[in-house]
Amino acid sequence: MRILVVASTLPAGQRLKVALGHEGLMVDTVALDEDPGAVAAQTGPYDAILIEAAGLTPGVIGGIRAVARQRLGVPTVVLVAAATPESEAEALDAGADDVLMAPMAITTLVVRLRALQRRMLGHLSAWITIGNTTLDQANLALTVDGRDVRITRREFDVLEMLFLRRGSLVTKADFLQRLYGSDEGPDSRTLDVFICKVRRKLAAAGAAEFIRTAWGRGYMAEEPPPAAIAAARARFAEGHLRRPNRLTSPAKAWAEAA
DNA sequence: CCCGATCACGCGATATGTCT
DNA sequence: AGACATATCGCGTGATCGGG
């Protein structure tokens, strides 16, 4: 998840960047008086915009309006230390999607940002299912027909982008910018390798293939037909019948190979 | 011929084991 | 218990093959 923090002061922005970074988010910061709307439009795409301030001053409301004017289609959250019901309403009317009260646990803030992003993309809960595969955003977990599939953080991030935007093309540029930020990221082949690894793990777990390759553009998650799900389940069941009921110890395997 | 898929490998970080 | 060595894991990249 890549977010833009619009901060009232440099230290506050830096603190949020570090804290959110520890939660696995990619964070860019911009000062409130540096035209955050234009910056968001230029350096995006972002998954959310977080405006941090002590209170809902006219300057902050102006910042919210500047971001809203860009029609970026991403949730805008305001984190303030104090607000009156009137100023809160003004912030929401100006284009904020939520007004949160500081201090707030960073984990709670991340959960709220994820929830808003999810809703903006049309998902009702933290569990998103495609075919017989379910992505659990709350626990950073993946299951196939209820079975856990062990995946790494990066693999989860790649899948999360596909799940959240199911049915839509996710370009390689989108992947790399959201996973690594605006700075020089790794080669786009790195993404291909993650897709390959994820596909293999999913297939081994009995998942119906749902990642479609858009040649020269990117990848897309699509609901597989029921027949594909049934076939994947059958392959998995067959594989389990063939599998030996007891693991061979390395020493025994070497002895047998010799 | 270009681009995606896959394998192999190196590097760095972290976990685990062993010795003092 | 602390220091050090070793193993394991995750990530990124190079090389190669095959398909569009």
Side-chain angles (χ1 to χ4, degrees), chain A residues 16-103:
Chain A
L16 273 171
K17 181 172 181 158
V18 170
L20 291 168
H22 277 133
E23 295 297 315
L25 274 67
M26 286 303 309
V27 182
D28 288 343
T29 55
V30 60
L32 189 59
D33 55 11
E34 279 180 69
D35 196 353
V39 171
Q42 278 164 20
T43 59
Y46 291 101
D47 296 307
I49 292 169
L50 176 66
I51 300 177
E52 176 277 334
L56 290 168
T57 60
V60 174
I61 300 293
I64 298 169
R65 284 214 180 87
V67 170
R69 262 199 302 274
Q70 297 291 336
R71 302 180 181 280
L72 301 168
V74 298
T76 303
V77 178
V78 186
L79 180 67
V80 285
T84 62
E86 293 77 21
S87 65
E88 203 172 323
E90 200 183 346
L92 293 168
D93 286 340
D97 294 286
D98 205 358
V99 176
L100 305 176
M101 289 299 152

Side-chain angles (χ1 to χ4, degrees), chain A residues 5-258:
Chain A
V5 169
V6 182
S8 55
T9 65
L10 210 69
Q14 210 47 39
R15 267 199 305 278
L16 273 171
K17 181 172 181 158
V18 170
L20 291 168
H22 277 133
E23 295 297 315
L25 274 67
M26 286 303 309
V27 182
D28 288 343
T29 55
V30 60
L32 189 59
D33 55 11
E34 279 180 69
D35 196 353
V39 171
Q42 278 164 20
T43 59
Y46 291 101
D47 296 307
I49 292 169
L50 176 66
I51 300 177
E52 176 277 334
L56 290 168
T57 60
V60 174
I61 300 293
I64 298 169
R65 284 214 180 87
V67 170
R69 262 199 302 274
Q70 297 291 336
R71 302 180 181 280
L72 301 168
V74 298
T76 303
V77 178
V78 186
L79 180 67
V80 285
T84 62
E86 293 77 21
S87 65
E88 203 172 323
E90 200 183 346
L92 293 168
D93 286 340
D97 294 286
D98 205 358
V99 176
L100 305 176
M101 289 299 152
M104 169 177 268
I106 205 74
T107 47
T108 312
L109 178 58
V110 172
V111 166
R112 284 187 177 261
L113 288 170
R114 282 196 196 285
L116 275 170
Q117 181 204 16
R118 221 167 33 228
R119 255 173 263 143
M120 197 144 284
L121 290 167
H123 301 284
L124 296 174
S125 78
W127 292 273
I128 308 167
T129 299
I130 301 178
N132 57 340
T133 306
T134 300
L135 182 96
D136 176 358
Q137 239 194 341
N139 298 303
L140 305 180
L142 189 76
T143 56
V144 174
D145 283 330
R147 294 182 299 273
D148 285 331
V149 181
R150 230 180 122 240
I151 54 168
T152 66
R153 176 73 213 211
R154 276 269 181 265
E155 289 167 353
F156 181 89
D157 289 343
V158 168
L159 278 172
E160 185 186 40
M161 284 190 66
L162 287 169
F163 270 79
L164 285 171
R165 294 164 185 76
R166 59 181 295 173
S168 305
L169 173 76
V170 186
T171 67
K172 293 191 170 190
D174 270 354
F175 268 114
L176 295 175
Q177 280 195 304
R178 287 193 157 97
L179 292 175
Y180 301 97
S182 52
D183 305 322
E184 286 279 305
D187 202 284
S188 75
R189 264 174 310 158
T190 299
L191 172 66
D192 299 336
V193 172
F194 279 120
I195 293 283
C196 168
K197 285 178 174 174
V198 157
R199 275 178 169 152
R200 200 163 26 191
K201 283 186 180 183
L202 286 168
E209 171 75 38
F210 60 83
I211 302 172
R212 216 187 73 192
T213 304
W215 270 70
R217 291 179 294 160
Y219 298 93
M220 186 197 287
E222 276 184 334
E223 182 67 26
I229 299 172
R233 283 178 176 148
R235 269 195 305 275
F236 179 77
E238 198 183 334
H240 261 256
L241 285 176
R242 281 186 190 160
R243 188 171 296 175
N245 56 8
R246 184 166 61 82
L247 286 173
T248 311
S249 72
K252 197 176 169 190
W254 296 333
E256 278 170 4

